[in-house]
């Protein structure tokens, strides 16, 4: 159902666009290219702006740019890339409305990662430090061991 939409383009099959229940959709631009994409804005979407969906089997709740195949994006996402299939979702990258970037778990050395992922990896790795006496302190999984140098 499209009423009061200024411009829209839909290419492909089985694409779904639902109106926001409490909005007139004035000055909205919608572009959907591909198949089986769903644009389903919810009533709490406050930054209602143009949306572009390029790919297949993408599920979008709010405005932004979404590219790829097989992914669902939340209402606070403004950009996303997916690399899934029509039966298995795989969102690999998202930009949130507040500027935060969300990425999938890295698999190779140059993959994008998050601060939380790095913090979690560091927390489970041995931590090396020296105490006030110059002794080596090794901490693994929260358990610390102090190594005192041998005296000659």
């Amino acid at each position: 159902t499209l009423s009061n939409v200024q411009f829209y383009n839909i290419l492909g099959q089985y694409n779904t666009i639902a109106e926001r229940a409490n909005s007139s959709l004035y000055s909205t631009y919608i572009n959907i290219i591909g198949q089986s994409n769903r644009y389903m804005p919810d009533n709490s979407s406050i930054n209602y702006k143009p949306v572009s969906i390029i790919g297949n089997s993408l599920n979008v709740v709010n405005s932004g740019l979404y590219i790829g195949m097989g992914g669902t994006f939340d209402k606070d996402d403004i950009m996303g890339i997916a690399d899934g299939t029509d039966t298995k979702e795989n969102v690999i990258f998202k930009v949130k409305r507040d500027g935060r970037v969300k990425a999938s778990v890295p698999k190779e050395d140059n993959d994008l990662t998050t601060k939380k992922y790095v913090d979690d990896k560091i927390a489970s790795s041995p931590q090396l430090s020296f105490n006030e006496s110059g002794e080596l302190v090794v901490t693994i999984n929260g358990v610390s061991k102090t190594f005192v140098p041998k005296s000659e």
Side-chain angles (χ1 to χ4, degrees):
T1 305
L2 294 173
S3 62
N4 300 320
V5 175
Q6 200 167 23
F7 299 105
Y8 61 92
N9 302 306
I10 300 173
L11 303 173
Q13 300 178 34
Y14 314 115
N15 294 308
T16 304
I17 298 175
E19 288 186 32
R20 197 170 130 204
N22 62 356
S23 172
S24 64
L25 297 179
Y26 284 106
S27 300
T28 298
Y29 309 90
I30 299 172
N31 300 297
I32 298 179
I33 301 171
Q35 296 185 39
S36 302
N37 295 305
R38 291 188 309 155
Y39 179 49
M40 308 289 285
D42 67 0
N43 291 337
S44 64
S45 299
I46 55 172
N47 290 317
Y48 201 80
K49 296 178 183 172
V51 62
S52 291
I53 302 171
I54 303 169
N56 296 323
S57 302
L58 297 176
N59 301 300
V60 176
V61 177
N62 212 336
S63 61
L65 173 63
Y66 306 93
I67 300 171
M69 183 167 178
T72 295
F73 297 93
D74 303 320
K75 68 181 178 184
D76 61 339
D77 297 334
I78 60 169
M79 181 178 173
I81 299 174
D83 184 27
T85 67
D86 56 353
T87 57
K88 181 179 178 219
E89 292 191 356
N90 184 25
V91 174
I92 57 175
F93 178 82
K94 297 185 199 186
V95 177
K96 299 292 190 180
R97 217 161 273 291
D98 63 5
R100 292 175 295 135
V101 174
K102 300 287 183 176
S104 61
V105 175
K107 295 175 179 71
E108 297 181 14
D109 289 343
N110 292 330
D111 286 355
L112 183 65
T113 188
T114 64
K115 180 183 181 309
K116 181 181 179 333
Y117 178 84
V118 172
D119 288 347
D120 290 348
K121 288 297 180 187
I122 289 173
S124 64
S125 299
Q127 304 295 310
L128 305 175
S129 61
F130 291 94
N131 62 19
E132 309 81 39
S133 304
E135 300 164 332
L136 175 64
V137 179
V138 177
T139 304
I140 301 174
N141 294 329
V143 178
S144 296
K145 173 77 175 167
T146 302
F147 294 89
V148 180
K150 288 185 179 180
S151 57
E152 296 189 34

